[in-house]
Amino acid sequence: MKRLLNKAIILALIAATWVGCSQDEVIVDCDVKINSAQESESDIQISLNLNVPDPIQVTSRAVTEGIKNFTVLCFDEEGLALVKETATFSATGDESGTLTVTIPNATRVMHVFANQESSSIPFEKGVTQEADLKDLAATANNMIYWGRIAVPADITKSSAIKDWWTTPKSISLLRSHAKVEVVNNNPAEFVLEGYTVVYTNAAGLAIPYDVTNGAYPTIEEWLNGDFIHAATGDNMVSGTDETMQTSGPIYVYETQASTETPASIIIKGYNTSDTDKKSKYWRVAFADDEGNQVNIRRNHRYTVSIEGSILFGDDTFEAAVANTSTANSAWLGIA
């Protein structure tokens, strides 16, 4: 399937991985330093310095704003659960704060969740395994943040493990959603009346588990990979003409590409040069330069930039979604 581009239109669909710590477009990539460590026979109390992204102004899908709370899960060298703790977060500014939590000194792996309801996370000390988290459903109506820290395999002595936990290190938290937005850069030629997203998952998973390799990816592996860990089933969400918005982001869960129900952005508007100023609809597919559909990945930003007049178009929202005529579709690539 080939995309159609006209000289009068330059639309670009851009997928950009969110990086940094102080902006709303980012993954949470935070410096973590130990302010203090108090040791007992079984526990280490640690305080983590981290930055928090700007609160998100959400206009769709009822995704809550910002980071509300933290839950920490600790596992031993066998991957068995040690403790589930609610971490204390003390804000020092709009984008910074201190996360304090007490962990067992036998901890080899730590999972950090933000905004995930603690009661939804399976936990039974000595029974629950780390692998039991891989299909954890993201708490509804929340933007879930998740990160994982593991002691390197070549560190085996208890004293060395304690030293490792009490040295400065960094943690990155991935958002459970992707961000979709349409920007009209030439209102003199095109009037944007609204946009929405169709055929994306109605539910998501909290953790980006790598099913193929049977492992939790590092941030680097996730960034360099092409895999997603999406909820299965036919529970899809489709926007409607009535729910279109004219600005701001739409947050959606990771979604596997499908030829039957292709995830797409529906744009509504008209060209100022049109004498009747009649609204038209265009479908922008999540596709590459060859017209092949791609997965929607968490923690990515997808932006459609409108640079001028748009030709073709459908007369109704339903016709654009159905895409019965290729000539009336705006098939765009992801750069």
Side-chain angles (χ1 to χ4, degrees):
M1 178 164 40
K2 297 181 179 179
R3 63 195 179 112
L4 300 179
L5 295 178
N6 189 278
K7 294 181 180 179
I9 171 177
I10 304 175
L11 295 178
L13 183 59
I14 301 172
T17 303
W18 296 337
V19 295
C21 223
S22 62
Q23 300 180 21
D24 130 79
E25 300 89 356
V26 304
I27 65 171
V28 189
D29 188 8
C30 307
D31 290 333
V32 179
K33 299 178 181 179
I34 305 303
N35 284 340
S36 62
Q38 299 174 352
E39 297 183 13
S40 68
E41 291 184 1
S42 58
D43 298 323
I44 310 170
Q45 186 182 58
I46 59 175
S47 296
L48 311 178
N49 287 339
L50 72 161
N51 292 323
V52 179
D54 294 333
I56 305 163
Q57 184 62 43
V58 178
T59 57
S60 178
R61 300 292 168 86
V63 178
T64 55
E65 301 178 7
I67 292 180
K68 304 294 185 182
N69 54 68
F70 288 89
T71 300
V72 173
L73 268 65
C74 298
F75 298 87
D76 65 15
E77 61 182 354
E78 302 297 329
L80 293 178
L82 292 173
V83 67
K84 177 168 69 171
E85 293 286 354
T86 299
T88 300
F89 181 68
S90 301
T92 57
D94 292 338
E95 302 170 354
S96 62
T98 301
L99 188 68
T100 303
V101 64
T102 299
I103 65 172
N105 60 13
T107 299
R108 293 300 300 261
V109 176
M110 177 191 294
H111 285 251
V112 178
F113 296 88
N115 296 352
Q116 180 79 14
E117 291 182 5
S118 179
S119 60
S120 72
I121 304 175
F123 181 84
E124 184 176 352
K125 183 177 180 180
V127 177
T128 302
Q129 300 185 26
E130 187 187 8
D132 295 336
L133 300 178
K134 65 184 179 65
D135 292 322
L136 175 65
T139 303
N141 298 331
N142 282 340
M143 173 78 79
I144 306 302
Y145 300 76
W146 167 86
R148 178 181 184 270
I149 312 173
V151 179
D154 58 351
I155 299 178
T156 57
K157 293 183 179 180
S158 297
S159 58
I161 293 174
K162 284 185 178 181
D163 291 341
W164 188 87
W165 281 115
T166 54
T167 56
K169 52 184 55 66
S170 62
I171 181 175
S172 294
L173 304 182
L174 291 175
R175 300 173 187 264
S176 60
H177 290 69
K179 177 180 177 180
V180 181
E181 193 165 13
V182 176
V183 178
N184 184 18
N185 291 319
N186 198 338
E189 293 188 23
F190 182 82
V191 175
L192 176 64
E193 296 181 295
Y195 57 90
T196 190
V197 180
V198 298
Y199 296 138
T200 56
N201 280 346
L205 300 177
I207 296 175
Y209 186 77
D210 187 349
V211 177
T212 301
N213 295 318
Y216 295 97
T218 64
I219 296 300
E220 290 72 21
E221 290 169 341
W222 182 85
L223 290 173
N224 296 326
D226 191 33
F227 67 89
I228 67 171
H229 189 39
T232 58
D234 299 325
N235 190 12
M236 308 293 286
V237 169
S238 288
T240 65
D241 201 347
E242 290 73 24
T243 61
M244 281 192 166
Q245 60 191 62
T246 57
S247 63
I250 298 174
Y251 293 96
V252 299
Y253 286 112
E254 283 191 313
T255 302
Q256 188 77 34
S258 168
T259 55
E260 291 77 17
T261 54
S264 306
I265 305 166
I266 306 299
I267 297 174
K268 179 182 180 180
Y270 62 86
N271 300 313
T272 58
S273 59
D274 295 341
T275 55
D276 58 2
K277 303 295 189 294
K278 181 181 179 181
S279 299
K280 293 280 190 178
Y281 299 82
W282 292 264
R283 181 159 78 91
V284 181
F286 290 86
D288 60 21
D289 288 336
E290 303 300 322
N292 300 312
Q293 294 178 59
V294 299
N295 299 325
I296 300 176
R297 299 188 68 201
R298 72 178 68 206
N299 219 94
H300 277 61
R301 181 176 65 244
Y302 299 88
T303 303
V304 177
S305 298
I306 302 175
E307 305 291 349
S309 301
I310 310 178
L311 297 187
F312 306 112
D314 289 294
D315 291 330
T316 66
F317 180 91
E318 292 74 18
V321 173
N323 188 33
T324 54
S325 173
T326 304
N328 288 336
S329 301
W331 286 97
L332 306 179
I334 295 177

